[in-house]
């Protein structure tokens, strides 16, 4: 099993850091997309599991996260532009079709958007702890704008990292798992303020609205799995509607017999592949191997 980490340069000069881990060069590719504030190493425990099953695992850093740079205009990042970034990367690494694990905490990358904009790129979709629309569209408070302003005022991401960790895992879990908490804290510190702001711009944009895209997002998808942490606020309930929308879209667009499962990861919060790792990896590998 080997891991290759390198940079991909877009025509604009912006770079994206990515890593490929594989035990075999010809296995199907699984894309792992990241959370806001976390670089690609947040998936370090999941990668060897998937690679040992014969998958070629592709991870990448979001703009301003880890080794990826940001666009000159921080407000220009949207979910469409993030989806296009993924398509360019896939062409670069030579994979026209691939399964996809879509991890979207606040939504810094969206597999639905990728295969809605680029049909048949993704054959199997796993969406984890997924919101359906931005707070602007939901007409609720703009927490991201306040957090960006706070980071700018202090000149660092320390308070953002601390607060985000507590929201993701809870203080109890963090106290019981100090080494994993420290690992994630260190990884999250690789997010720049510019990176935080530009990805928050995507989250604050009115274009973040999945429901109208679900019909198109079904094109080329064989099956989908939705995962949500049991303790992830109201998402276990709200993702039921998303599950039905994805199922309807897949049935109408590509597979009339498709079914979309929604699985609750027991005891997990917003990052179910970390504090629900055992059930997560078992559920996902079973789904991808079907």
């Amino acid at each position: 099993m080997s891991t290759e980490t390198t940079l991909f340069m877009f025509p604009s000069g912006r770079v994206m850091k990515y890593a490929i881990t594989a035990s075999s060069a010809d296995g199907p590719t699984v894309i792992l997309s990241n959370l806001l504030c976390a670089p690609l190493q947040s998936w370090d425990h999941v990668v060897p599991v998937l690679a040992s099953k014969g998958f070629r695992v592709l991870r990448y850093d979001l703009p301003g996260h880890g080794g990826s740079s940001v666009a000159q205009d921080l407000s220009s990042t949207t979910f469409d532009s993030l989806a296009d970034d993924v398509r360019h990367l896939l062409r670069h690494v030579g994979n026209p079709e691939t399964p996809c694990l879509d991890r979207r905490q606040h939504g810094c990358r969206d597999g639905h958007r990728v295969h809605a904009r680029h049909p048949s790129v993704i054959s199997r979709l796993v969406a984890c702890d997924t919101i359906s629309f931005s707070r602007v569209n939901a007409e609720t408070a703009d927490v991201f704008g306040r957090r960006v302003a706070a980071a700018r005022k202090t000149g660092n991401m320390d308070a953002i990292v601390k607060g985000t960790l507590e929201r993701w895992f809870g203080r109890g879990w963090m106290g019981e798992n100090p080494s994993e908490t420290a690992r994630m804290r260190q990884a999250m510190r690789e997010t720049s303020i510019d990176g935080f702001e530009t990805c928050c711009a995507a989250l604050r944009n009115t274009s973040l609205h999945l429901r109208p895209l679900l019909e198109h997002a079904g094109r080329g998808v064989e099956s989908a799995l939705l995962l949500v942490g049991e303790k992830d606020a109201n998402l276990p309930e709200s993702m039921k509607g998303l599950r039905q929308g994805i199922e309807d879209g897949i049935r109408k667009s590509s597979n009339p017999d498709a079914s979309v499962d929604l699985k609750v990861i027991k005891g997990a919060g917003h990052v179910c592949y970390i504090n629900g790792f055992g059930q997560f990896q078992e559920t996902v590998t079973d789904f991808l191997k079907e």
Side-chain angles (χ1 to χ4, degrees):
M1 186 183 305
S2 62
T3 298
E4 174 191 358
T5 303
T6 188
L7 297 177
F8 168 61
M9 181 176 290
F10 296 97
S12 66
R14 181 167 57 87
V15 298
M16 173 188 282
K17 180 182 176 182
Y18 70 93
I20 297 177
T21 303
S23 54
S24 172
D26 58 358
T29 297
V30 176
I31 311 166
L32 300 177
S33 57
N34 301 325
L35 305 95
L36 176 66
C37 289
L40 56 83
Q41 59 262 42
S42 71
W43 291 99
D44 278 355
H45 299 325
V46 176
V47 170
V49 174
L50 293 174
S52 71
K53 302 295 184 182
F55 293 104
R56 184 172 178 247
V57 185
L58 173 64
R59 295 174 285 168
Y60 63 95
D61 282 336
L62 293 164
H65 291 56
S68 295
S69 62
V70 297
Q72 186 173 1
D73 179 2
L74 299 181
S75 66
S76 65
T77 299
T78 65
F79 278 90
D80 285 347
S81 70
L82 293 172
D84 291 344
D85 283 355
V86 175
R87 187 66 182 107
H88 287 307
L89 178 61
L90 287 172
R91 287 172 175 158
H92 174 70
V93 302
N95 287 88
E97 297 186 10
T98 179
C100 176
L101 282 180
D102 173 31
R103 175 58 182 87
R104 195 168 70 93
Q105 193 251 37
H106 299 299
C108 270
R109 209 215 99 228
D110 176 10
H112 303 76
R113 182 76 64 169
V114 173
H115 60 259
R117 285 178 65 79
H118 306 288
S120 299
V121 168
I122 294 171
S123 59
R124 294 192 177 189
L125 172 70
V126 181
C128 309
D129 299 273
T130 303
I131 61 174
S132 298
F133 37 76
S134 68
R135 287 178 175 266
V136 173
N137 290 323
E139 298 182 347
T140 56
D142 177 17
V143 297
F144 298 110
R146 293 201 303 268
R147 291 172 190 166
V148 170
R152 289 291 180 196
K153 184 176 181 179
T154 60
N156 61 64
M157 289 286 291
D158 291 350
I160 299 298
V161 168
K162 180 178 182 295
T164 301
L165 279 170
E166 291 177 356
R167 284 190 298 275
W168 285 353
F169 301 118
R171 293 181 181 179
W173 185 91
M174 293 168 65
E176 295 170 0
N177 297 271
S179 61
E180 186 65 359
T181 299
R183 182 184 77 88
M184 286 301 297
R185 182 183 293 110
Q186 183 61 38
M188 293 165 70
R189 285 174 174 164
E190 295 188 17
T191 304
S192 68
I193 297 178
D194 281 353
F196 183 63
E197 179 173 342
T198 197
C199 288
C200 283
L203 288 163
R204 301 169 71 191
N205 196 288
T206 55
S207 65
L208 173 51
H209 201 322
L210 291 183
R211 298 300 172 89
L213 297 175
L214 293 180
E215 178 178 339
H216 302 290
R219 290 176 291 173
V221 176
E222 298 172 4
S223 55
L225 170 67
L226 276 64
L227 300 178
V228 61
E230 180 183 25
K231 298 179 179 179
D232 192 2
N234 67 336
L235 280 182
E237 183 62 31
S238 67
M239 284 183 68
K240 292 179 181 178
L242 181 62
R243 186 208 66 78
Q244 186 61 55
I246 293 174
E247 182 175 271
D248 292 344
I250 295 175
R251 285 181 172 180
K252 183 175 181 180
S253 300
S254 58
N255 184 357
D257 299 317
S259 63
V260 177
D261 287 335
L262 171 64
K263 302 288 188 181
V264 177
I265 305 299
K266 300 299 183 183
H270 206 50
V271 194
C272 63
Y273 63 90
I274 292 180
N275 63 350
F277 173 75
Q279 185 185 351
F280 175 89
Q281 61 88 17
E282 181 179 351
T283 303
V284 166
T285 53
D286 286 349
F287 169 74
L288 293 178
K289 279 293 189 179
E290 289 177 355

